[in-house]
Structures are given as C-alpha cells and as structure tokens.
Amino acid sequence: MTVRITALLLAVAGTAAAQMLPPGALNQSATSDPGADIQVDHVIDADGVIHAVWASQVPLVSGSGTDPDIFYSRLEASGWTLPVLVNSYGLVDNVLNLDERHPRLAIAADGTRYCTWQSSHDIDGAGGETDVFAAVDTGSGWGPVEFVNDAADDNTQWVDDTVPTIVLTADDEPLVAWQNYNHVFGDEDIYYSIRDDGSWTAPAELNGSPDGGDDWGPVAMALDRFGNLWAAWSTDNPNLGLGADRDVVYSFLSPGASGWSAPVGVSALAASDSHEDLHPAIEIVDAQPLPEIHFVWSSAEPVINATVGSTGGDLDLA
C-alpha cells in the first residue's frame, strides 16, 4: 500500500498534539538555485519511505539544462538523496518551450516505481504536441521512456494529452488517466491506459457514453480493498442529466469488467446547481462492511444550509 501527499516544502507531524514541524526543502539546491521547482508528487511506500518526483528548471543533473525536466528523490535517514533524472532524454532536450510537467508517481508492492508525466518534446517521432509518457525503475535506475497515449499515432499539433494521474490496479499494474483535447473537434475527454506485461494498452475513453461537453482532468483515482478502481473528474456533459454547468462526477471499474461504469454526479446538488465544480480528490476509508468513498472538490456554488450558510460565488471546498 502506498500513500500520496503533495508538497515541495515538506512539514511532518510531531508528537505534541500532532503539531506540524517547520518545513524543510526537498530539492537540495533550494538555497542557491535561481530556477523553479514545481508540481511535486510524494508517495509513502509500504516501509514508510517518502519518495518524490517533481519538475525543475534547475540543472540538477549535469547537462539537463534550464528547461523543465522530471527528477526523483527519496528521504533516507541522512536526508533527501541526490536528484535523479527520470526523463532519460533530458540531457538532449534543452529547449525552453519543449518541457516536461505534471509528474505523478506510484510504487508497487515489490518496490517497482512508476512515473508518468506530460511532455511537448518530439520523442522518437511523437510530434510537437503534448503527450503522456512514463518510465519504470525496478531498482537499478529509471528505464527508457515509454509512450502511454500511443503518441506516435497522433503526432500532429491538433491533439494534446495532458495532466496524467496514476494508480495501481488490484494486480499491481499502473493505470494512467489523462485529459485528451482534440483541437479539430474542440472536444475534451478522459482517456486511460494500463501497463500490462510491460506494454501499455491501447488508450480507451474513460468518461464513457453518452458523450458530450468537455471532460477535464486531472482525474482523481483510488483503489478499494475489493479491487474496484474509482475515478472522479469535472464535466459539463449535458447528457448526464446534470445541467450545462460543470459538475464533479465519478465512475468505477470493477475487476473483470469490460469498461467503466456510467458517470454519476457526486454532489446531491449536481442536477440543480448552476456553478462550476472542479478539482476533485478521492480518499477511501476501509470501513465495514463496505469501504467509504469520500470526495472533496472546489465549488463556486453558493451552498446554503443551516450549518454552513451561504459560501458566496467564489471557489470553496465541498
């Protein structure tokens, strides 16, 4: 089991009433470098070790340049290890407008590390649009870059695949979901692929039928103890009976199922509200007799009830 946290300045709870300790820098060059370190993703493995990936404009590895690249480090007894380059082509892609962003990390039970990210670099004929890639570290270092969204088949400026997220299936195989934007049709959908026996499956649509409107990532994903995969994202699909505003919906993929369930609105107000709901997160509580699936998201809906009152039209957490 792995646990995900997100921060670049990391603070941990002390023993006195769970008081947070002062934050400490993860990237060792923090006190001297002039570049940006952003979009960090942390995972705690089964042994309690914290692992991190992030995008950096700092040449943390000689030759990586000042374009954003993906780096990895972990917290050991002596502190954070020296950053390691994840995208192997980072030594030859030193062009500022061709960059890597939005890394996400997962760690299997056997310790294998999987990292996915988006890139606008033309890798082996992938083209100049944004694609989703991955790399695997089985313990001897990060391996060659792998196509996730079948990048070689859409190498035009008209399709962008962005903001990937990753979760491990019940078989401990990585599943990556991302937002696909077809500029020709003006349509945004959620796609996914699973790394099965070392190869990524053909991308398939996650947001299902009936399609309509635009589906936005990043997709929140989690696995329950029965092997069901849960996903949540934001959509303004008018065919779901939730109106034309943007709502957070969820779907699940059961073991052995041929596809994801039909999307369902998370909020009880989804069919009647008229403001945007965005940026969902999922947490699963291993309750009995059934797991509890908890969703959190940001909402511009002015919720009115006896406890909360009116939250106004700004974005608040629901």
Side-chain angles (χ1 to χ4, degrees), residues 11 57 86 88 106 110 124 128 151 194 208 217 233 236-237 256 270 286 299 314:
Q57 290 182 294
V86 176
S88 57
D110 65 0
D124 295 334
I194 300 174
W233 66 96
D236 61 1
N237 185 347
D286 197 18
S299 177
D314 60 320

Side-chain angles (χ1 to χ4, degrees), residues 27 29 33-37 55-61 64-69 71:
N27 53 310
S29 61
D33 69 63
D37 295 271
S56 179
Q57 290 182 294
V58 181
L60 298 173
V61 172
S64 62
T66 56
D67 62 312
D69 286 300
F71 293 91

Side-chain angles (χ1 to χ4, degrees), residues 248 266-268 276-281 295-300 316-318:
V248 170
V266 169
S267 172
E276 287 194 337
D277 296 289
L278 304 162
H279 314 132
F295 300 92
V296 179
W297 67 96
S298 59
S299 177
D316 292 293
L317 296 180

Side-chain angles (χ1 to χ4, degrees), residues 33-286:
D33 69 63
D37 295 271
I38 59 174
Q39 298 173 338
V40 68
D41 191 36
H42 291 77
V43 170
I44 304 174
D45 68 19
D47 296 322
V49 177
I50 304 176
H51 304 251
V53 290
W54 71 98
S56 179
Q57 290 182 294
V58 181
L60 298 173
V61 172
S62 178
S64 62
T66 56
D67 62 312
D69 286 300
I70 307 303
F71 293 91
Y72 161 84
S73 180
R74 65 182 176 274
L75 184 59
E76 297 184 342
S78 58
W80 288 96
T81 60
L82 289 174
V84 175
L85 187 66
V86 176
N87 57 306
S88 57
Y89 55 85
L91 302 180
V92 296
D93 72 340
N94 299 333
V95 181
L96 285 177
N97 64 340
L98 300 178
D99 60 41
E100 285 62 50
R101 294 184 185 272
H102 202 79
R104 290 296 181 266
L105 181 66
I107 303 177
D110 65 0
T112 299
R113 301 162 195 147
Y114 300 95
C115 182
T116 184
W117 66 93
Q118 70 179 55
S119 175
S120 57
H121 186 61
D122 185 2
I123 306 165
D124 295 334
E129 85 290 0
T130 305
D131 290 299
V132 175
F133 298 94
V136 182
D137 182 356
T138 59
S140 57
W142 292 97
V145 173
E146 302 173 354
F147 292 139
V148 175
N149 66 290
D150 202 11
D153 291 338
D154 70 350
N155 56 352
T156 73
Q157 297 290 338
W158 305 111
V159 178
D160 282 313
D161 299 278
T162 59
V163 291
T165 50
I166 189 169
V167 68
L168 294 170
T169 69
D171 296 324
D172 234 11
E173 296 176 328
L175 182 152
V176 172
W178 65 92
Q179 177 181 313
N180 172 278
Y181 179 33
N182 188 310
H183 294 259
V184 175
F185 300 107
D187 186 31
E188 294 170 291
D189 290 298
I190 304 299
Y191 279 79
Y192 76 100
S193 177
I194 300 174
R195 192 177 189 270
D196 185 16
D197 293 329
S199 299
W200 292 94
T201 59
E205 197 170 311
L206 188 157
N207 52 276
S209 181
D211 195 9
D214 290 319
D215 298 88
W216 289 357
V219 183
M221 294 190 293
L223 176 73
D224 70 26
R225 70 172 182 268
F226 296 116
N228 299 303
L229 284 167
W230 296 80
W233 66 96
S234 177
T235 184
D236 61 1
N237 185 347
N239 298 317
L240 299 179
L242 303 177
D245 64 315
R246 184 160 292 282
D247 293 292
V248 170
V249 297
Y250 74 90
S251 178
F252 61 88
L253 179 66
S254 298
S258 58
W260 292 79
S261 65
V264 176
V266 169
S267 172
L269 301 175
S272 60
D273 65 12
S274 58
H275 294 74
E276 287 194 337
D277 296 289
L278 304 162
H279 314 132
I282 299 177
E283 183 65 32
I284 297 180
V285 177
D286 197 18

